[in-house]
Amino acid sequence: MADGAAALSVKTACPYCGVGCGVAAVVTRDGGEGRAVSVAGDPSHPANLGRLCSKGTALGATVGLEGRLLEPTIGGRVAGWTEATALVAKRFRETIAKHGPDSVAFYVSGQILTEDYYVANKLMKGFIGSGNIDTNSRLCMASAVAAHKQAFGADLVPGCYEDLDLADLVVFGGHNAAWTHPVLFRRMEAARARGQKHVVIDPRRTDTAEGADLHLAIAPQSDVRLWNGLLADLIRRGGIDRDYIDAHVNGFDAVEAALAEIDQSPAAVAVDCGVALADLLTFFDLFTANPKTVSLFSMGANQSAQGVAKGLSILNAHLATGRIGKPGACPFSITGQPNAMGGRETGGMANTLAGHMDFDPADRDRVARFWGAPNTTRKPGLKAVDMFEAVHDGRIKAIWVMATNPAVSMPDASRVREALAKCPFVVVSDCIADTDTTAFADVKLPALAWGEKDGTVTNSERRISRQRALFAAPGQARPDWRIIADVAKAMGFDGFGWGTQASVFREWARLTAYENEGRLLNLSGLTALGPDGYATLRPVQWPVAADGTGTARLFVEGRFQTPDGRARMIPTRPRGPADAVDAVYPLSLNTGRIRDQWHTMTRTGLAADLCRHAPEPFVEMHQVDAEAAGIREGALTRVVTRRGEAVALARITDRQRPGGVFMPMHWTDAFAPSGRSNALIAPNVDPTSGQPEFKHTPARIRAYRETWKGFFLSRDILGAPTGQDLVWRRIPQDACQQHEFAGRGDTDQRDAVRKVLSRGLIGEVVAYEDPGSGSRREAWVRDGRLVAVLFMTTTGRLPPRDWLADLFSMPVLSRDARSALLFGRPPGAPVDKGPLVCVCLKVGAKAVQAAIVAGALDPDAVGAVTGAGTNCGSCRPEIARMIATASLASPVKETVDVA
């Protein structure tokens, strides 16, 4: 931004979850001193009405250029675009010529824009002639897609966010909305104030479950049994809508017959689901009594080897009761990525063509005609798990990974790494230079990041929004669509000569309208958008009519996208997990997300504040399981499955169901190489959707039993010392990097680690060592500034890190700070803020607890005292839980007025 230039607010969209929040961004610095942007929610955007969660609020901390991939590289050396593009085109062309089109593949991402998705799909399916393009949405939404297609005739989400405001009952099926979609959860909090009821179906007592009217902590993989039991109960009660079924639904009789195959009594269902009969009947009563019901389902339902059956069971309950296409009533699959929906629309999945068209001859030929691509593939390609297995066994010999990190995010991630290492040619286009996946790249191509991207995304309610650029492209970074189009042209293909992303979008919109005689995905009202219309496009829900009007709800008239216009109820049958627990692996490992992190932390890991609520990998377990394994709170714990082992901090809690453990999925080699959870996950998939089972893997836990531990604070990012067998974690702080480590070696190991960490440090060294206690403390100071701090111990406790980390922000250490360095705390009484609760305003647990003790008895009162929860509100469920815990520990005594 030029000196004196007015700062303009740019309306764009958040790059995180599928809510699709509008963002108002103002560039405050763009020049020699780096880049900075202030971020606020866009109050005019229908998805969020001005709210942002902690991740969206922290977007301004992620726009710097540190760690960015800014120029193409070939074999680790810097190259120009001409050379890199020519090499990628040549290697793909030669591989196809020698081994056929199915010997190459693209693996893409819900992080790229709709225009990018469209171009990638057109190249692979239309011109290369293979179906081998799949997306990381396969890991998130594929089961919901398959269920939608079977029931509705196409991948169609019927509801909208307004339904969450209007519903009298919201059922969360495997969906911790308070953490994964907090802006929507805030909307539902407001609805609760008028009486909306919440039921949560989840083995864990999440923050969403904590404040719900009813929590059903079902046994793993008992979802189908639960929903089928509900439908059977509705039939018994006369709670189904016979008129709606007769007019609009096929398959009811077959579903009813399948239900009759086993005992559907509430008592039997309660036993099989592992819930109390009274709680089950409460759920049945609530569902029966509230026609305005929204069933939100997400990863807990989808990420399963029976995910399609789970989704169909939910859809069956809504179709049988006519709770679809009506205000406040629908089944609602909520997406996890900002453009998972856009990828599904454009054919980013291996088993679909663009525009919600499939591989039947009529659809395939229609797409081929539109593209002028006679070699358009006639069959689906390989889905994600099968794709990387084909890379591993040599069937796929060249793969291009775009904007995703499968070396971390895929199940059985170690085997995926083996596959990438064996693959003859790996291309990765990304905005980050060094990820677990770029480590395997023969060619790295620099792509744009949020704040530079310019195009469209589609959120969970089918709403198309614009992501707009705030900064010029840095270095040699380019839009993904252009990178792909340039490779396509270098391969000799026509049809990729767009000049702008607006031109790509117009072509995509025209495809949706082309020979459209009933497809609901129709952007006919956007086909004539000129550059100005595209630049100023307002959020709109598809289908988009010729006059540009969007559509809030689908199936309002009871007509579906099936040949006869009727929805289809599909029989589902409960079955056990693909892998059963046993004496060797007696626990069920469940993996998922946490509140303030996103996928593999390549963006959120840049924002120090987002790393404070849960700074390290952890494993949640019930007290019973912890005691059986001899594990105490906060201890390093080995989590072992048949696929591998991870080490994480133990969190012992009654929020976890006995017999189950939970690990987050976010950590990578860059942050915690020993804490990667997905390396533990078996590659079991749903047989229809191909979506992996992330919610149940047989596991066991054991204490790590380190012999020593320590931490190292420095201004530089360090990786784990090689060859030392350490449990290593890196936690970004505002002015330094915090490195935690532990080992099971002797003095030689400690000395070797100390030697590596201190290498290259210049400055005055202040040191203390006590061989008797195995304690070593050192600090390096140069020109009055703190350079690094090292603490190690074999027997003692380590001080809190906050005060030491804050010293790195001081231009010159004060005398008191310098004298207290090796104590690790300031003179006087230690200040312990506790774990960070409110990221936005940096309010720790101790401040919240003090407010509660002083009489703040609800989240609003705590917010009035501390500020916590008053910005994005993501921490409000946690504050409510802290209040509830405090009230149980110290019940308020009732007083009686006898005057």
Side-chain angles (χ1 to χ4, degrees):
M1 186 175 68
D3 291 341
L8 299 177
S9 178
V10 177
K11 291 188 175 182
T12 182
C14 180
Y16 290 121
C17 77
V19 175
C21 293
V23 174
V26 177
V27 174
T28 57
R29 186 173 65 244
D30 183 11
E33 297 182 2
R35 308 199 305 190
V37 60
S38 66
V39 168
D42 177 4
S44 68
H45 198 289
N48 59 315
L49 305 174
R51 292 193 183 279
L52 290 177
C53 73
S54 57
K55 295 183 287 291
T57 300
L59 275 169
T62 70
V63 298
L65 298 180
E66 301 84 0
R68 286 291 301 276
L69 179 62
L70 295 176
E71 48 199 355
T73 67
I74 297 174
R77 67 172 175 83
V78 173
W81 271 111
T82 300
E83 182 186 8
T85 300
L87 177 61
V88 174
K90 176 176 181 289
R91 291 295 300 270
F92 269 74
R93 191 171 55 240
E94 291 175 346
T95 302
I96 293 164
K98 187 173 182 179
H99 303 285
D102 289 337
S103 65
V104 301
F106 294 167
Y107 186 64
V108 298
S109 164
Q111 299 292 294
I112 63 177
L113 304 178
T114 298
E115 293 79 359
D116 308 325
Y117 256 126
Y118 177 75
V119 177
N121 188 60
K122 181 178 179 179
L123 173 57
M124 179 56 74
K125 288 181 179 149
F127 286 80
I128 290 175
S130 171
N132 285 346
I133 175 172
D134 208 35
T135 167
N136 61 6
S137 297
R138 178 71 57 189
L139 313 183
C140 305
M141 304 311 305
S143 291
V145 171
H148 289 156
K149 291 179 72 173
Q150 291 186 37
F152 306 148
D155 176 22
L156 300 166
V157 176
C160 60
Y161 295 161
E162 185 187 38
D163 292 325
L164 302 177
D165 304 327
L166 301 176
D168 294 323
L169 172 67
V170 178
V171 181
F172 299 86
H175 181 208
N176 184 14
W179 278 17
T180 59
H181 300 92
V183 169
L184 289 186
F185 191 72
R186 291 300 305 276
R187 288 180 72 154
M188 290 180 279
E189 275 189 331
R192 288 198 76 193
R194 63 153 179 83
Q196 185 182 84
K197 301 292 185 183
H198 288 181
V199 174
V200 174
I201 302 166
D202 198 311
R204 302 170 59 227
R205 195 170 79 245
T206 62
D207 274 12
T208 307
E210 194 80 46
D213 299 280
L214 177 66
H215 174 213
L216 296 175
I218 61 172
Q221 307 307 335
S222 61
D223 307 59
V224 173
R225 181 70 164 125
L226 176 69
W227 285 95
N228 282 357
L230 168 65
L231 181 54
D233 189 75
L234 288 165
I235 294 171
R236 276 193 302 269
R237 297 183 188 216
I240 61 173
D241 188 336
R242 295 278 182 183
D243 291 340
Y244 188 87
I245 293 169
D246 291 343
H248 305 296
V249 180
N250 291 331
F252 175 80
D253 291 342
V255 169
E256 188 174 28
L259 292 176
E261 293 172 0
I262 62 173
D263 184 359
Q264 298 290 353
S265 68
V269 174
V271 169
D272 290 347
C273 294
V275 298
L277 176 58
D279 289 342
L280 184 78
L281 291 174
T282 299
F283 173 44
F284 290 175
D285 289 343
L286 284 168
F287 200 96
T288 303
N290 289 284
K292 286 188 175 182
T293 295
V294 172
S295 296
L296 279 171
F297 60 105
S298 190
M299 303 309 160
N302 294 328
Q303 289 181 331
S304 169
Q306 46 192 300
V308 176
K310 293 179 182 182
L312 286 170
S313 298
I314 295 169
L315 302 186
N316 283 346
H318 277 263
L319 290 171
T321 53
R323 299 178 186 186
I324 189 167
K326 300 171 182 175
C330 65
F332 203 145
S333 163
I334 193 82
T335 55
Q337 295 193 81
N339 204 31
M341 188 74 79
R344 289 150 61 177
E345 295 160 6
T346 54
M349 286 185 158
N351 55 313
T352 63
L353 287 173
H356 283 182
M357 287 179 273
D358 288 315
F359 290 93
D360 62 86
D363 277 356
R364 181 267 171 200
D365 291 348
R366 181 181 300 113
V367 174
R369 280 196 306 277
F370 181 85
W371 280 340
N375 292 328
T376 296
T377 183
R378 297 182 182 275
K379 67 182 190 302
L382 294 173
K383 299 164 187 171
V385 171
D386 292 336
M387 177 182 288
F388 283 99
E389 190 58 31
V391 175
H392 196 282
D393 66 26
R395 284 173 289 153
I396 290 176
K397 302 179 185 301
I399 188 169
W400 186 347
V401 178
M402 304 178 193
T404 188
N405 199 4
V408 178
S409 58
M410 287 288 292
D412 200 8
S414 296
R415 188 167 178 84
V416 171
R417 293 173 184 233
E418 290 176 7
L420 292 170
K422 293 170 65 174
C423 189
F425 190 60
V426 177
V427 180
V428 179
S429 46
D430 207 311
C431 59
I432 301 296
D434 297 314
T435 72
D436 293 40
T437 299
T438 60
F440 298 95
D442 297 291
V443 178
K444 292 195 247 183
L445 302 175
L448 301 181
W450 182 86
E452 302 148 8
K453 288 175 178 282
D454 199 295
T456 59
V457 293
T458 309
N459 74 356
S460 293
E461 62 169 351
R462 295 170 284 104
R463 190 178 299 278
I464 300 167
S465 295
R466 288 279 276 109
Q467 269 194 27
R468 294 181 171 92
L470 310 175
F471 303 99
Q476 297 185 51
R478 290 180 175 177
D480 287 282
W481 69 264
R482 183 184 168 193
I483 297 171
I484 303 161
D486 286 347
V487 169
K489 289 185 287 186
M491 292 179 72
F493 298 129
D494 294 327
F496 293 85
W498 307 282
T500 65
Q501 60 270 24
S503 300
V504 179
F505 182 84
R506 278 195 302 274
E507 180 178 316
W508 154 238
R510 286 192 296 110
L511 174 58
T512 68
Y514 182 65
E515 297 180 2
N516 191 331
E517 297 179 357
R519 301 191 309 274
L520 289 176
L521 175 51
N522 189 335
L523 308 184
S524 61
L526 303 178
T527 57
L529 276 184
D532 291 342
Y534 181 80
T536 59
L537 180 65
R538 297 284 301 154
V540 61
Q541 289 172 281
W542 61 259
V544 183
D547 64 358
T549 303
T551 306
R553 294 178 186 84
L554 305 183
F555 317 138
V556 172
E557 304 298 328
R559 182 163 184 82
F560 297 82
Q561 197 178 309
T562 55
D564 63 3
R566 295 169 64 88
R568 297 179 290 226
M569 291 180 65
I570 310 293
T572 61
R573 294 171 174 84
R575 55 188 176 88
D579 275 345
V581 298
D582 56 27
V584 179
Y585 298 100
L587 303 174
S588 174
L589 170 63
N590 174 11
T591 63
R593 299 177 179 178
I594 59 175
R595 191 187 76 186
D596 295 336
Q597 290 299 345
W598 173 252
H599 284 200
T600 61
M601 297 173 63
T602 49
R603 182 185 294 115
T604 50
L606 300 173
D609 287 348
L610 296 180
C611 298
R612 303 219 175 131
H613 183 249
E616 302 185 39
F618 63 86
V619 54
E620 280 188 351
M621 64 193 72
H622 193 273
Q623 181 71 40
V624 170
D625 298 316
E627 289 178 356
I631 294 169
R632 68 184 190 281
E633 173 70 23
L636 287 172
T637 301
R638 298 167 54 214
V639 184
V640 186
T641 73
R642 294 181 180 90
R643 300 285 163 171
E645 176 176 327
V647 181
L649 295 180
R651 285 190 179 180
I652 300 172
T653 173
D654 64 358
R655 292 162 54 121
Q656 180 65 50
R657 182 186 173 92
V661 294
F662 171 81
M663 281 189 72
M665 52 77 68
H666 305 287
W667 279 272
T668 67
D669 281 349
F671 292 94
S674 299
R676 296 184 297 110
S677 67
N678 284 4
L680 311 182
I681 305 302
N684 298 318
V685 300
D686 183 285
T688 300
S689 71
Q691 182 157 358
E693 171 69 86
F694 285 106
K695 300 305 182 185
H696 168 78
T697 299
R700 66 171 179 258
I701 54 174
R702 298 288 186 271
Y704 177 71
R705 303 194 190 286
E706 68 272 18
T707 58
W708 67 281
K709 60 187 177 181
F711 66 86
F712 182 66
L713 305 179
S714 67
R715 296 186 182 275
D716 297 322
I717 295 173
L718 301 180
T722 58
Q724 292 301 324
D725 190 24
L726 295 178
V727 178
W728 178 272
R729 295 91 75 203
R730 176 171 68 85
I731 305 163
Q733 297 283 352
D734 287 333
C736 69
Q737 297 290 323
Q738 175 183 334
H739 306 87
E740 299 281 330
F741 45 86
R744 293 185 287 194
D746 55 14
T747 302
D748 289 343
Q749 185 186 42
R750 299 196 300 276
D751 289 344
V753 171
R754 187 245 173 226
K755 183 177 180 180
V756 170
L757 296 179
S758 61
R759 186 180 298 148
L761 292 177
I762 299 174
E764 177 189 353
V765 181
V766 184
Y768 164 81
E769 185 169 8
D770 180 4
S773 65
S775 177
R776 173 180 287 168
R777 301 184 176 192
E778 294 180 80
W780 288 260
V781 180
R782 184 180 184 186
D783 297 331
R785 296 181 76 215
L786 187 58
V787 175
V789 176
L790 172 66
F791 277 56
M792 294 180 174
T793 186
T794 58
T795 59
R797 298 179 61 184
L798 295 168
R801 296 15 163 203
D802 289 350
W803 179 71
L804 288 168
D806 288 345
L807 296 182
F808 283 81
S809 63
M810 297 177 64
V812 177
L813 288 175
S814 68
R815 179 178 299 178
D816 287 346
R818 189 181 178 108
S819 66
L821 266 176
L822 298 186
F823 290 100
R825 58 178 177 81
V831 177
D832 180 10
K833 298 178 182 178
L836 198 65
V837 173
C838 177
V839 167
C840 300
L841 299 178
K842 300 186 180 182
V843 181
K846 294 296 178 73
V848 174
Q849 290 163 352
I852 295 169
V853 170
L857 299 181
D858 60 53
D860 289 334
V862 170
V865 175
T866 68
T870 60
N871 188 41
C872 77
S874 300
C875 60
R876 285 173 62 88
E878 183 171 353
I879 294 170
R881 174 160 42 88
M882 294 172 71
I883 293 168
T885 301
S887 66
L888 289 173
S890 303
V892 178
K893 295 181 180 179
E894 294 186 2
T895 59
V896 179
D897 186 355
V898 296

